[in-house]
Amino acid sequence: MNVNRCLPLCLVLALGGAPEPAFAETLIVNSYGGPYEAIIEERIIKSFEEKSGIDVVYDAVGSAAQDYAKIKATKGQPGFDIVIMTASQSLQGCKEGLLEKLDAAAIPNLVKLSPRLSDVAGPCGAVHEVQYMSLLYRTDKLTSPPTSWSSLLAPELKGKIILPTFQNIMAVFLLEIMSVARGGDMIENVGPGFTAMAELARQSIGFEQSSAILESYIKDGTVWAMPFWNGRAQLLVDQGVPVDYVRPKEGTIPLIATLNVPVGAENKQAAMAFIDFFLEKSSQEAWVTGYKVGSARIDIDIPDDARKRQITTEADLKSLKLPDLARVADKLGAWGERWERDVVSQAK
């Protein structure tokens, strides 16, 4: 498809008008299924289609890691125009030349994002949401809310916690935050973190990679506490599951989600229009309140009950421990081997 067809469309969008049907295209967006799919369809895609005249095909296949593997295997031509991943894949894709670099000339709303978060994601990723690793717990099982990551080691939680596998970035973040809590750091001195994770493995019922499977354990009461992304944790709260979540006193690490365009995408200009629309103030407000996540835009207006639990202000951002994902990537091979040797071996 000739991407130049979008030139008049992009001009019309910039002027805030409705496009002519002759300029309509089909845009393929690859992302997640489950609650995510229903919310993005309602809160973002429907409005974008109405405003732009572009038909969006939603491709809910694979995790962020699996999606990037497809981009890599096809040398940047995976068959979709936009992919929703995390800052880790965004940095890797930029380094390997498989993702388009994004700029404010094509996506004006990029300048509205927190520079600190944009720097973490790199030049190929537009940060459209921010979650953080929270401590999720059953309110009907624990006598008092946990306040620390070390609460996972409480005797009453023996055999009542579950951990992510190392293939889930949450495991890496948990290793890093436990290292900091034990006097180490997030990169060079993670020995204390591995010691703590070995203790947690002995406390746990095992490991799972998928967030959907992890949450099933706490929903049915098999697990009473576990690390979990706060956006999905809030969805469980809203569903009436007897759970709640906290940001432990030692702090936490954010999951920075990005919108990316593969270098071989057929409809790049339409993809840029979609990204800019997603980053609009009104779109971010709709997304934050719909999917229960934070935003890299600190100028959004949302209800106080949502704001107090999400990352939406400069003060919130300063409270996070931002990972150096490029340096983490260099460590993953060695850390993964040590995880299998020192952590997984300690599980039942």
Side-chain angles (χ1 to χ4, degrees):
M1 184 177 290
N2 185 353
V3 297
N4 289 330
R5 291 171 57 203
C6 187
L7 287 171
L9 167 65
C10 297
L11 177 60
V12 171
L13 284 178
L15 296 174
E20 295 294 330
F23 302 129
E25 296 189 50
T26 297
L27 187 68
I28 301 176
V29 176
N30 176 274
S31 188
Y32 317 120
Y36 192 103
E37 180 176 1
I39 296 169
I40 196 173
E41 289 275 10
E42 174 193 352
R43 297 278 175 145
I44 303 296
I45 291 175
K46 182 180 178 182
S47 298
F48 175 73
E49 288 179 324
E50 291 173 351
K51 181 176 180 180
S52 69
I54 297 173
D55 293 324
V56 175
V57 175
Y58 192 81
D59 178 31
V61 178
S63 65
Q66 291 168 333
D67 293 337
Y68 184 70
K70 185 174 183 180
I71 292 171
K72 189 168 183 176
T74 60
K75 299 181 179 179
Q77 300 182 40
F80 44 76
D81 303 301
I82 293 177
V83 58
I84 296 175
M85 299 190 291
T86 73
S88 296
Q89 291 87 28
S90 182
L91 287 171
Q92 185 178 355
C94 239
K95 181 179 180 180
E96 296 179 347
L98 297 174
L99 299 175
E100 286 288 324
K101 291 186 178 180
L102 309 178
D103 62 64
I107 307 171
N109 279 305
L110 283 175
V111 301
K112 301 293 186 179
L113 305 182
S114 160
R116 294 179 71 231
L117 293 179
S118 292
D119 287 346
V120 173
C124 293
V127 181
H128 74 289
E129 74 174 45
V130 184
Q131 295 191 54
Y132 58 85
M133 186 176 63
S134 69
L135 181 48
L136 178 65
Y137 66 96
R138 292 278 304 207
T139 56
D140 60 339
K141 303 293 186 181
L142 299 185
T143 55
S144 60
T147 60
S148 166
W149 289 111
S150 63
S151 299
L152 289 170
L153 291 165
E156 65 180 320
L157 289 177
K158 177 71 174 178
K160 297 297 181 182
I161 71 170
I162 192 165
L163 298 172
T165 66
F166 196 74
Q167 289 70 34
N168 185 325
I169 191 65
M170 186 159 49
V172 179
F173 289 175
L174 186 60
L175 167 67
E176 291 186 302
I177 205 69
M178 292 302 288
S179 179
V180 170
R182 293 285 184 93
D185 61 34
M186 293 171 61
I187 296 290
E188 298 301 335
N189 180 22
V190 294
F194 276 105
T195 299
M197 292 307 304
E199 295 171 19
L200 286 176
R202 291 191 289 271
Q203 180 92 331
S204 76
I205 62 171
F207 302 82
E208 291 286 354
Q209 180 174 347
S210 163
S211 292
I213 295 176
L214 284 167
E215 75 175 31
S216 71
Y217 284 92
I218 203 161
K219 287 175 74 173
D220 68 16
T222 301
V223 161
W224 294 1
M226 66 182 193
F228 207 52
W229 305 123
N230 79 293
R232 294 192 69 144
Q234 184 63 50
L235 290 176
L236 294 177
V237 172
D238 294 345
Q239 291 167 13
V241 180
V243 296
D244 205 354
Y245 61 98
V246 296
R247 260 186 275 180
K249 63 184 181 182
E250 299 93 344
T252 189
I253 300 173
L255 177 69
I256 300 172
T258 58
L259 299 163
N260 299 91
V261 179
V263 291
E266 292 187 4
N267 302 301
K268 290 181 183 177
Q269 289 183 328
M272 302 300 175
F274 180 86
I275 293 174
D276 196 57
F277 180 84
F278 209 146
L279 300 182
E280 283 281 355
K281 182 173 181 288
S282 59
S283 297
Q284 285 290 286
E285 290 164 350
W287 186 242
V288 165
T289 54
Y291 194 49
K292 316 300 183 182
V293 291
S295 175
R297 286 193 69 143
I298 61 174
D299 61 343
I300 60 172
D301 297 314
I302 58 173
D304 289 342
D305 61 341
R307 188 178 294 281
K308 69 182 180 182
R309 308 217 72 172
Q310 306 303 334
I311 303 299
T312 61
T313 68
E314 191 63 36
D316 291 333
L317 293 175
K318 289 180 179 178
S319 74
L320 297 172
K321 298 184 184 301
L322 296 182
D324 187 334
L325 294 174
R327 293 178 69 195
V328 167
D330 292 336
K331 300 285 187 179
L332 285 181
W335 286 2
E337 292 177 2
R338 188 172 178 182
W339 179 277
E340 292 296 320
R341 183 181 68 248
D342 297 349
V343 179
V344 175
S345 66
Q346 298 302 306
K348 291 182 178 180

